[in-house]
Amino acid sequence: MALPVEEWGGSGWRGKETHKENLRCCLAVFACQISGRCSRKPHSGASFDEPPRSPEVALCFANRSAALFHLGHFEVCLEDIARAESHGYPDRLLPKVLLRKAECLLRLGRLQAATDTLTAVENKMTVDGIMTSPIHLTLLKKLNQLKTEIHEGRGCPEPSREAHADIQRESEMWEENGSISGASSSLSLNFNTERGRHLVASQNILPGQNLLKEKAFVSVLCPGEGDSLLLQDSSETVWDTQVTNADLYCHHCLKQLLASVPCCGCSYAKYCSQNCADVAWEQYHRTECPLGALLLILGVFCHVALRTVLLAGFSEVSRLVEWSHDDSNKDLCSAEAGDKHPSEALDTRTGTKGIPGCNDNGQYQSSYQAVFNLLPHVEKHSPEHKFLCMLSIVAICKKLQETGLEAAVLNRGSSTMGLEQKTYGKTSDELSPELMIIAEAMLRHVLQLQCNAQAVTVIVFSLSLESGDGAVVNKKPVRLATAFFPVLSLLNHSCSPNISVSFSGTVATVRASQPIPSGQEIFHCYGPHRCRMKVAERQQLLSQYFFECRCQACLDELESDVESVSMRNSFCCPSCQASMQGEEMLCCSNKACALSVSRERLSRRLLDLQQQMEKALELLRDSKADEAIRMLLKCQMDARNFLSPEHLLMGELEDHLAQIYATLGKWQEAARHLEKSIQLVEMHHGPSSVEMGHELFKLAQILFNGFAVSEALSTIQRAEEILSVHCGPQSTQIQELQEMKTCLLELPRSMLQRT
């Protein structure tokens, strides 16, 4: 469905702050339209160098440039205008788009380029010769206005402020490790049969210190679940567009999309720039594009496996597959799996040279060799699982053979295939020897991913739109992509980790979350955390990694009667509110009461309560805030009758109430409820946890919007101290906190004293 020509470029958008979110929704709509219009059936030799020219696509790009202009993204707006022109934008509408281009150049301070563009518009309008229509008169008025602004030098941007930039750069500086790529010199790589490859602190490490910065060897975007974006303030038409991760993030670098550049061969892959689109096409998407539907069906692990071998290249894949067939090299992997003593496998080699994945110089790099040497645990996967994986890989290889893409996979030109294409043509039931090598490597990678896949996650914050202040009212972690990080994979699991991992695009940054003394191992959490689950639940979830967790947190809980998490998330007596004890049948700990009730009954009651909370949030989404508040208050009363005061659900109820009051612009009420929620977050996760940092960030925004200056400043300071440790001083949240602090400190002294 195409929008009316340039309808979105009218002056009605100007100065309407309430339409900003609608503009962002429009960008998503335009992205879908452009992808659909740009896509064509892939064919041999398809290239980004020759985009299909289409007036409809040109109109979509021009319409999107209008939304970008009113959002203040002038550079990206210029890119879309250029795309519109390259796709054959209608000549009769060109003056309007060129005027927008001139205004962008003016806002960016490029006065000469803006003047040249206005001259081109003036010449164009003179040649057309029709200067009396209302549209042309409006354009002339705009043209003269821009001329005046250029002459007076108005519209030029102010010099950007770089406050704290030097401090941030200094705090992020570090001495890189000579043996482990991307790692700090404060780490060393060790190897033994019990722990396999692992990283250890070679010196004392402080909280917040950078330990590792690694770009993923390969990453594949997870489509994710669709979110409904509604264009509001429209009494006639409401568009409901399902937007997923695939529409919101670049398929190559994983950066958030503003104005996507679609693949010319399919309507799925989208990129943040033409450069990302070109690089992806050359490295892997040329091969993946015709297989898009099959890869989506088979799942992200198969997709990661294919992209891994495409990025590595057939020569390197073939070398390592052949190397893996050598019996002496199999001993290295057996040693790490615990089948041999390291001295038997590593012979007399010293240092890191004998450690699997290291190169001949003893360096462990973020390379395909390191990826290939991650443990596949072939003997521990079930036969059924291995059969399904093998079947999926064969399906991909057969498709490559049928579509004539084998040459591209093997990094050969089509002219060099000759005999192979004749022998293993489209009708062949057998894979070529080269594809058999590719299939073996892909199967290895699919099996590796169960234990070595790293989820690239982002924290997504939802905003309060009804209040108009853009306050954060909710947050949730979102799995953005699945990736191989060979150096990050060296970290062993602990249910009480000593590091935090954050992501920026395809780059993972590991920071110490607590003091780490020299000699202590660096621990990552694979998911099950001691603050969220009981030890039995953690052990069950960790079974997918083929080990029984023996971290200190698990040992402490198994060897003692400490059940902090279960006690905090326990039921209380519906009669006297004392704690309940037992397994299947729960008994009141108050001997004077001695009420008994089945765990199943209270669990059903808890489930019903959670469903009522979800209904309350649905009422909020339907703009029925008052009804949502009444329902949540009723849930709160019910919860107090059978849940312990420290139960996490009690905190969720307070958080949801804060969310609704923030939506209504009732900042004091929102802050009061959020502070109660934060008390429970601190109890469960600790005062210095990243969870506390995120909650304090929300509270800071609410206090900021409510002009509670002193409280906001103290909360900002606490949030900064925590988030700088876990996310680094250059994170988006830290930057926003600093902007809020600057704004508050610039208020008149009288207001600061009054608050």
Side-chain angles (χ1 to χ4, degrees), residues 202 246 340 576 583 695:
S202 57
K340 284 180 177 284
C576 68
E583 293 299 327
E695 293 302 308

Side-chain angles (χ1 to χ4, degrees), residues 191-196 327-347:
F191 184 102
N192 61 45
T193 51
E194 182 183 355
R195 310 209 58 78
D327 290 338
S328 63
N329 292 322
K330 290 179 181 178
D331 289 341
L332 292 173
C333 296
S334 298
E336 185 168 18
D339 298 334
K340 284 180 177 284
H341 192 275
S343 61
E344 295 178 38
L346 303 183
D347 302 319

Side-chain angles (χ1 to χ4, degrees), residues 103-145:
E103 192 164 2
C104 282
L105 292 168
L106 174 62
R107 299 290 177 263
L108 292 169
R110 304 174 194 170
L111 300 186
Q112 186 56 54
T115 301
D116 295 342
T117 303
L118 287 179
T119 301
V121 175
E122 202 165 19
N123 293 338
K124 172 67 179 168
M125 294 176 68
T126 302
V127 170
D128 289 345
I130 304 173
M131 308 293 289
T132 57
S133 69
I135 294 177
H136 279 77
L137 290 175
T138 302
L139 293 176
L140 275 174
K141 182 178 178 182
K142 183 66 178 177
L143 188 148
N144 291 326
Q145 176 190 335

Side-chain angles (χ1 to χ4, degrees), residues 5-6 59 89-98 124 139:
V5 176
E6 282 292 294
L59 292 177
Y89 190 71
D91 195 61
R92 61 188 176 81
L93 297 169
L94 200 55
K96 186 173 186 178
V97 170
L98 290 177
K124 172 67 179 168
L139 293 176

Side-chain angles (χ1 to χ4, degrees), residues 288-593:
E288 293 177 357
C289 191
L291 308 182
L294 177 63
L295 293 173
L296 285 173
I297 291 171
L298 294 179
V300 70
F301 277 16
C302 288
H303 198 162
V304 171
L306 173 61
R307 189 171 293 181
T308 300
V309 298
L310 291 175
L311 288 170
F314 178 72
S315 176
E316 183 70 356
V317 171
S318 178
R319 180 183 75 83
L320 287 169
V321 167
E322 183 179 351
W323 172 89
S324 69
H325 294 165
D326 188 331
D327 290 338
S328 63
N329 292 322
K330 290 179 181 178
D331 289 341
L332 292 173
C333 296
S334 298
E336 185 168 18
D339 298 334
K340 284 180 177 284
H341 192 275
S343 61
E344 295 178 38
L346 303 183
D347 302 319
T348 58
R349 285 170 282 190
T350 60
T352 58
K353 284 189 177 182
I355 296 179
C358 290
N359 61 23
D360 294 337
N361 297 321
Q363 295 174 318
Y364 191 94
Q365 299 178 319
S366 187
S367 63
Y368 182 65
Q369 179 169 323
V371 171
F372 192 88
N373 277 278
L374 297 175
L375 289 179
H377 294 290
V378 176
E379 71 289 349
K380 295 179 181 178
H381 291 277
S382 69
E384 295 82 3
H385 177 69
K386 286 186 281 191
F387 175 75
L388 287 174
C389 291
M390 182 182 67
L391 200 62
S392 300
I393 296 305
V394 170
I396 293 174
C397 291
K398 291 292 289 182
K399 192 69 174 178
L400 290 170
Q401 196 165 267
E402 290 169 6
T403 52
L405 291 168
E406 184 175 352
V409 175
L410 304 181
N411 308 118
R412 301 177 181 175
S414 57
S415 60
T416 65
M417 287 300 292
L419 182 62
E420 288 91 344
Q421 286 285 18
K422 292 179 182 178
T423 307
Y424 300 97
K426 293 184 179 180
T427 58
S428 174
D429 291 331
E430 297 181 13
L431 297 178
S432 67
E434 291 87 353
L435 275 183
M436 288 290 287
I437 293 173
I438 292 292
E440 182 178 342
M442 287 175 63
L443 179 59
R444 180 185 183 93
H445 297 324
V446 170
L447 297 178
Q448 286 173 329
L449 283 164
Q450 179 158 331
C451 295
N452 294 284
Q454 174 64 53
V456 178
T457 58
V458 292
I459 300 294
V460 176
F461 293 94
S462 61
L463 305 178
S464 168
L465 301 181
E466 292 186 17
S467 65
D469 292 281
V472 170
V473 293
N474 200 10
K475 67 171 180 61
K476 62 177 179 179
V478 173
R479 186 183 184 118
L480 184 57
T482 298
F484 268 135
F485 289 92
V487 180
L488 183 58
S489 293
L490 294 172
L491 300 182
N492 281 326
H493 166 80
S494 171
C495 298
S496 182
N498 51 18
I499 55 102
S500 286
V501 182
S502 58
F503 298 93
S504 176
T506 58
V507 176
T509 301
V510 176
R511 293 181 176 85
S513 60
Q514 61 191 52
I516 304 175
S518 178
Q520 187 177 102
E521 185 173 351
I522 310 301
F523 287 112
H524 186 19
C525 180
Y526 293 178
H529 196 286
R530 65 180 297 272
C531 292
R532 294 188 287 269
M533 301 176 191
K534 293 186 291 185
V535 62
E537 296 170 323
R538 300 200 302 268
Q539 295 289 353
Q540 186 176 3
L541 284 176
L542 287 167
S543 62
Q544 65 169 305
Y545 297 103
F546 305 120
F547 72 87
E548 181 181 353
C549 185
R550 306 294 293 173
C551 73
Q552 196 60 48
C554 286
L555 292 176
D556 289 345
E557 289 184 45
L558 289 170
E559 294 174 3
S560 66
D561 295 327
V562 176
E563 295 186 18
S564 56
V565 174
S566 59
M567 289 299 294
R568 289 197 297 261
N569 284 326
S570 63
F571 297 114
C572 69
C573 177
S575 177
C576 68
Q577 279 68 61
S579 62
M580 300 292 284
Q581 298 174 344
E583 293 299 327
E584 298 303 320
M585 184 60 67
L586 301 176
C587 299
C588 180
S589 59
N590 181 5
K591 295 181 179 179
C593 176

